[in-house]
Amino acid sequence: MFVSDFRKEFYEVVQSQRVLLFVASDVDALCACKILQALFQCDHVQYTLVPVSGWQELETAFLEHKEQFRYFILINCGANVDLLDILQPDEEAVFFVCDTHRPVNVVNVYSDTQIRLLIKQDDDLEVPAYEDIFRDEEEDEEHSGNEGDEGSEPSEKRTRLEEEIAAQTLKRRQRREWEARRRDVLFDYEQYEYHGTSAAMVMFDLAWLMSKDLSDMLWWAIVGLTDQWVQDKITQVKYVTDVGVLQRHVSRHSHRHEDEAHALSVDCARISFEYDSLTRPSLRLALYQHWSLHDSLCNTCYTAARFKLWSLHGQKRLQEFLADVGLPLKQVKQKFQSMDVSLKENLREMIEESANKFGMKDMRVQTFSVHFGFKHKFLASDVVFATMSLMESPEHGSGTDSFTQALDSLSRGNLDKLYHGLELAKRQLRATQQTIASCLCTNLVVSQGPFLYCALMEGTPDVALFSKPASLSLLSRHLLKSFVCSTKNRRCKLLPLVMAAPLSAEQGTVTMVGIPPETDSSDRKNFFGRAFEKAAEGTNSRALHNHFDLSDLRPEVVLAGWQDTPASPGWGLQGGAAWLPHAQAVIELKAEDRSKFLDALVTLLS
Amino acid sequence: MFCEKAMELVRELHRAAEGRLPAFNEDGLRQVLEEMKALYEQNQSDVNEAKSSGRGDLIPTIKFRHCSLLRNQRCTVAYLYDRLLRIRALRWEYGSVLPSALRFHMSAEEYNSECQDSAFLGPESHSGKMDWFNRYKKSLATYMRSLGGDEGLDITQDMKPPKSLYIEVRCLKDYGEFEVEDGTSVLLKKNSQHFLPRWKCEQLIRQGILEHVLS
């Protein structure tokens, strides 16, 4: 059920209890978690935080902890599956789910007590009505009762029997129609996956309702929203709307600056909105304030794709562009902070004008920045990239170590971790662009008919950086954008992309990602989940849907004849259960099954 | 040479790092005590002979043996006293229940309550470490109960002034279940974070299982 009053029905319920938090591994979830942690610490609510990166971890952690807790909070995981079925909790366990994944599973919506959704209902949810999906079973029992009646006279009995039979057939036909309608409704509802309002914003709203919001929390909400935008999870319209909401909060928090007598100390965080003021609009270049302008132009997908920087011609165009703006090459290749001040002052307007000339109309972007101390200034997208790289970097051992690093980097006291994350992010962006360049130059992106397909080979440099789902999705989206800019084939521009990257050499698995077609007005709905699910099912491929969001859904797809695969961890065999909760756009496959999986996908989508 | 064994005992403790309690060197102590007994007996016979036959040339030997006896005594007392100090520090470090590994390092022989006071240890006395520990515990507990009115005050908590009631901790190693005051338990797994009352976590933080997260 949906929680209407967050404060009464959620916060005050858990305030006196001990709760267990399950947090998914993405930046939005991290931000929401930080906000909630801050609230809990303020009110002395005892909690335990468990990071989870997939359904298996969620289940194991739940099994371990379920005796000790009654209240569970899930952040960015769990709304799109039947939780009660997967976790099999006790009667008194209560789950609060704050998740951006849509569509919300109907069982979660209509469960009365155990599952409480912390989701705003004005999000376009379009949940089907209760009567369309669930049906009381009482009416059937009345009929079976009637059959036992014995009539006194045979003729009477016969007519009554005929009537009964007629009534029953009518009932059965109605029931069949109802079930067909139900299947259609559910199919329409669950066909596409998309994302709703950022979890961090929902948590910030709760904090604001209780008047406990701080500028730190506001900053985390901003980072959560920006993460959704960077990863293309929400539409541009929704982003702009949400930015408007946050901007009101920012102006509320920063009204003190105008009054000199009450100016904040230098060490306090000051959040500013970077769009409207003429002197400080923000550019769509990734990390440009922490890098040299030239590097930033080369490694931001938007500019790299438009200039076609993988070709010589593209490099020349970049030089032309810089000449047009009026920036000397030496300056541009220096670190941004060491550029001449006179150049930096009018930088943004100059770049924007020239960008318009070169066909890049969206150079300007609405975003926020924070500064504290004398030299620390970050844009929201910088923090998103840094945290994302920290979380997915292969250098930290296990997944939970990286989660901890990333969580720490969001605190203001741990700036060294944030800077480390920025370095990792630079490496990631560079590797992404280089991989894209090599893929396009060697024509690795081929059209399979209804979709484009690209596979990264085992020995590609930096392929280890792309084994995690978020990095791979980012790579795929950028690849699609670049491909659309580079190809002349009009039909290919409208195709979606399926990308494969090697995941683990010993287990021989690959990760596959499906990206919807690139259009300006796309509504960011992804149909690949269903398609992957059906294709895996149809071909008996050994597939593992483990990740949550843009990631797979557990549970493992178990199909006939699979019991004899070697028991490697993560390929759990659950005797014959063919229930497939809504799969999503990333799955892991055994390499040998790849080709038949692709063939099945082709037939399915054409 | 005489007193070598005693020196070894002292050296052993000197080498042990601060706060660690090495195993009780029963053999070494026994050898020292035997040496002392032998010296004493030799001295006894020499003194008798010197008195009866008036041999003055035995006197330096007697004096020398007496000095070694005194030195042995001093070394053994230093050894035992230092061990007692370390055991006392253990109480403050680990609380009233010692981990079993540490308990093995102590001698659990018969009780000798005067061991901390006696200046001279006869050859029969084995210091009852466990019992000393128990008595120290009891005496500390009695003292703590006498403070703070009716309830007593636990002075082993909060060695530094605390800033807040609850602290955020992160688990560094898998520990298992950990009991909280109202009977429920928390499962401590690697990299999970918890927000628990400060006094519950202090012991574990000292042991290095939890880490205080400052945000």
Side-chain angles (χ1 to χ4, degrees), chain A residues 246-436:
Chain A
L246 285 177
Q247 201 241 326
R248 288 197 284 275
H249 288 292
V250 167
S251 35
R252 182 171 56 90
H253 273 263
S254 54
H255 70 274
R256 285 214 256 165
H257 293 166
E258 282 108 48
D259 190 354
E260 279 305 317
H262 298 287
L264 290 174
S265 96
V266 156
D267 282 326
C268 289
R270 275 162 290 160
I271 306 181
S272 45
F273 179 58
E274 306 242 340
Y275 184 78
D276 290 331
S277 103
L278 285 173
T279 50
R280 297 174 308 166
S282 183
L283 293 175
R284 201 172 172 156
L285 301 173
L287 301 181
Y288 75 95
Q289 289 176 354
H290 302 271
W291 221 346
S292 71
L293 199 57
H294 187 253
D295 277 334
S296 182
L297 280 167
C298 293
N299 290 317
T300 305
C301 167
Y302 183 69
T303 45
R306 297 282 184 302
F307 281 134
K308 304 199 194 27
L309 284 177
W310 52 86
S311 62
L312 266 183
H313 176 68
Q315 305 273 354
K316 288 214 191 86
R317 271 178 65 104
L318 178 63
Q319 314 273 20
E320 272 179 41
F321 172 76
L322 288 171
D324 196 62
V325 175
L327 297 169
L329 212 57
K330 249 179 71 170
Q331 288 287 329
V332 157
K333 291 200 177 166
Q334 272 192 354
K335 276 179 71 104
F336 186 79
Q337 282 150 357
S338 342
M339 273 175 75
D340 266 351
V341 179
S342 52
L343 288 174
K344 273 199 276 192
E345 266 171 13
N346 294 327
L347 185 69
R348 292 172 187 95
E349 286 84 29
M350 301 189 316
I351 289 194
E352 216 194 340
E353 273 177 45
S354 310
N356 274 330
K357 266 194 251 174
F358 280 75
M360 294 184 287
K361 301 210 172 34
D362 292 325
M363 238 356 203
R364 243 190 189 194
V365 69
Q366 298 187 356
T367 186
F368 298 90
S369 74
V370 70
H371 33 147
F372 37 89
F374 286 107
K375 65 173 179 158
H376 305 295
K377 177 172 200 279
F378 301 102
L379 286 178
S381 51
D382 297 345
V383 177
V384 166
F385 279 119
T387 319
M388 200 155 58
S389 313
L390 274 176
M391 203 150 47
E392 308 224 322
S393 101
E395 63 181 40
H396 299 125
S398 72
T400 42
D401 278 337
S402 349
F403 181 91
T404 333
Q405 290 279 322
L407 193 66
D408 279 343
S409 75
L410 283 175
S411 305
R412 249 201 291 153
N414 294 324
L415 282 180
D416 52 340
K417 294 202 178 143
L418 192 60
Y419 280 115
H420 178 57
L422 282 174
E423 296 302 313
L424 288 176
K426 289 182 197 169
R427 192 176 67 153
Q428 179 91 21
L429 285 173
R430 258 195 275 254
T432 310
Q433 283 308 120
Q434 279 166 0
T435 320
I436 291 180

Side-chain angles (χ1 to χ4, degrees), chain A residues 344-569:
Chain A
K344 273 199 276 192
E345 266 171 13
N346 294 327
L347 185 69
R348 292 172 187 95
E349 286 84 29
M350 301 189 316
I351 289 194
E352 216 194 340
E353 273 177 45
S354 310
N356 274 330
K357 266 194 251 174
F358 280 75
M360 294 184 287
K361 301 210 172 34
D362 292 325
M363 238 356 203
R364 243 190 189 194
V365 69
Q366 298 187 356
T367 186
F368 298 90
S369 74
V370 70
H371 33 147
F372 37 89
F374 286 107
K375 65 173 179 158
H376 305 295
K377 177 172 200 279
F378 301 102
L379 286 178
S381 51
D382 297 345
V383 177
V384 166
F385 279 119
T387 319
M388 200 155 58
S389 313
L390 274 176
M391 203 150 47
E392 308 224 322
S393 101
E395 63 181 40
H396 299 125
S398 72
T400 42
D401 278 337
S402 349
F403 181 91
T404 333
Q405 290 279 322
L407 193 66
D408 279 343
S409 75
L410 283 175
S411 305
R412 249 201 291 153
N414 294 324
L415 282 180
D416 52 340
K417 294 202 178 143
L418 192 60
Y419 280 115
H420 178 57
L422 282 174
E423 296 302 313
L424 288 176
K426 289 182 197 169
R427 192 176 67 153
Q428 179 91 21
L429 285 173
R430 258 195 275 254
T432 310
Q433 283 308 120
Q434 279 166 0
T435 320
I436 291 180
S438 71
C439 283
L440 288 175
C441 291
T442 54
N443 286 334
L444 271 181
V445 182
V446 288
S447 161
Q448 296 275 3
F451 57 85
L452 301 164
Y453 175 69
C454 176
L456 287 181
M457 292 297 126
E458 193 51 46
T460 324
D462 296 324
V463 81
L465 287 175
F466 300 119
S467 52
K468 298 275 175 71
S471 326
L472 188 57
S473 310
L474 207 69
L475 171 69
S476 322
R477 258 177 285 121
H478 290 186
L479 179 61
L480 186 58
K481 288 190 183 131
S482 308
F483 181 77
V484 161
C485 290
S486 80
T487 179
K488 297 200 181 46
N489 186 338
R490 204 163 302 188
R491 208 180 75 83
C492 279
K493 294 199 193 209
L494 302 169
L495 292 178
L497 172 71
V498 172
M499 182 120 190
L503 177 62
S504 145
E506 330 63 81
Q507 291 184 357
T509 50
V510 292
T511 317
M512 298 198 89
V513 165
I515 308 286
E518 173 71 23
T519 54
D520 284 330
S521 58
S522 76
D523 51 4
R524 311 272 181 243
K525 294 201 180 194
N526 195 340
F527 55 83
F528 271 107
R530 275 297 199 196
F532 278 1
E533 186 186 314
K534 287 222 170 59
E537 200 179 306
T539 57
N540 283 1
S541 309
R542 289 157 290 176
L544 177 62
H545 307 243
N546 189 30
H547 309 273
F548 305 123
D549 69 358
L550 254 211
S551 320
D552 339 276
L553 234 215
R554 221 202 138 246
E556 308 79 326
V557 176
V558 176
L559 305 153
W562 195 25
Q563 269 77 3
D564 37 31
T565 50
S568 37

Side-chain angles (χ1 to χ4, degrees), chain A residues 87-375:
Chain A
L87 295 179
Q88 306 274 344
D90 299 328
E91 284 296 315
E92 328 137 333
V94 176
F95 295 87
F96 291 97
V97 180
C98 178
D99 194 352
T100 57
H101 297 107
R102 307 277 181 271
V104 183
N105 191 290
V106 288
V107 176
N108 287 346
V109 173
Y110 291 117
S111 145
D112 271 330
T113 45
Q114 282 198 284
I115 310 230
R116 317 230 175 126
L117 297 167
L118 296 174
I119 292 176
K120 292 210 179 353
Q121 284 200 271
D122 47 351
D123 252 355
D124 47 349
L125 287 169
E126 297 163 2
V127 183
Y130 182 78
E131 297 76 36
D132 282 344
I133 312 180
F134 300 105
R135 180 194 174 97
D136 293 328
E137 295 300 315
E138 301 162 4
E139 299 140 27
D140 294 337
E141 291 168 22
E142 286 172 21
H143 274 283
S144 43
N146 281 342
E147 286 167 34
D149 274 347
E150 282 166 294
S152 41
E153 287 184 25
S155 59
E156 265 188 34
K157 205 160 105 182
R158 210 178 305 126
T159 43
R160 210 184 324 154
L161 208 58
E162 283 171 8
E163 281 171 16
E164 278 179 21
I165 294 179
Q168 274 180 38
T169 19
L170 187 62
K171 196 107 187 84
R172 239 177 274 142
R173 201 183 317 142
Q174 277 180 351
R175 194 196 167 81
R176 250 175 286 147
E177 283 172 9
W178 180 85
E179 281 186 356
R181 215 176 30 233
R182 173 179 186 268
R183 263 199 303 274
D184 285 335
V185 161
L186 274 182
F187 182 75
D188 282 335
Y189 179 58
E190 295 178 350
Q191 189 181 30
Y192 290 100
E193 289 119 37
Y194 56 104
H195 288 264
T197 317
S198 142
M201 280 185 66
V202 169
M203 287 297 164
F204 179 74
D205 225 40
L206 171 68
W208 179 52
L209 259 177
M210 301 193 293
S211 296
K212 287 189 180 154
D213 56 324
L214 301 167
S215 50
D216 276 336
M217 294 190 201
L218 179 56
W219 177 245
W220 289 325
I222 292 172
V223 173
L225 174 66
T226 316
D227 170 62
Q228 285 199 315
W229 178 70
V230 162
Q231 296 201 22
D232 275 342
K233 287 186 188 171
I234 52 176
T235 61
Q236 187 70 13
V237 171
K238 182 150 174 58
Y239 175 69
V240 171
T241 328
D242 286 343
V243 160
V245 168
L246 285 177
Q247 201 241 326
R248 288 197 284 275
H249 288 292
V250 167
S251 35
R252 182 171 56 90
H253 273 263
S254 54
H255 70 274
R256 285 214 256 165
H257 293 166
E258 282 108 48
D259 190 354
E260 279 305 317
H262 298 287
L264 290 174
S265 96
V266 156
D267 282 326
C268 289
R270 275 162 290 160
I271 306 181
S272 45
F273 179 58
E274 306 242 340
Y275 184 78
D276 290 331
S277 103
L278 285 173
T279 50
R280 297 174 308 166
S282 183
L283 293 175
R284 201 172 172 156
L285 301 173
L287 301 181
Y288 75 95
Q289 289 176 354
H290 302 271
W291 221 346
S292 71
L293 199 57
H294 187 253
D295 277 334
S296 182
L297 280 167
C298 293
N299 290 317
T300 305
C301 167
Y302 183 69
T303 45
R306 297 282 184 302
F307 281 134
K308 304 199 194 27
L309 284 177
W310 52 86
S311 62
L312 266 183
H313 176 68
Q315 305 273 354
K316 288 214 191 86
R317 271 178 65 104
L318 178 63
Q319 314 273 20
E320 272 179 41
F321 172 76
L322 288 171
D324 196 62
V325 175
L327 297 169
L329 212 57
K330 249 179 71 170
Q331 288 287 329
V332 157
K333 291 200 177 166
Q334 272 192 354
K335 276 179 71 104
F336 186 79
Q337 282 150 357
S338 342
M339 273 175 75
D340 266 351
V341 179
S342 52
L343 288 174
K344 273 199 276 192
E345 266 171 13
N346 294 327
L347 185 69
R348 292 172 187 95
E349 286 84 29
M350 301 189 316
I351 289 194
E352 216 194 340
E353 273 177 45
S354 310
N356 274 330
K357 266 194 251 174
F358 280 75
M360 294 184 287
K361 301 210 172 34
D362 292 325
M363 238 356 203
R364 243 190 189 194
V365 69
Q366 298 187 356
T367 186
F368 298 90
S369 74
V370 70
H371 33 147
F372 37 89
F374 286 107
K375 65 173 179 158

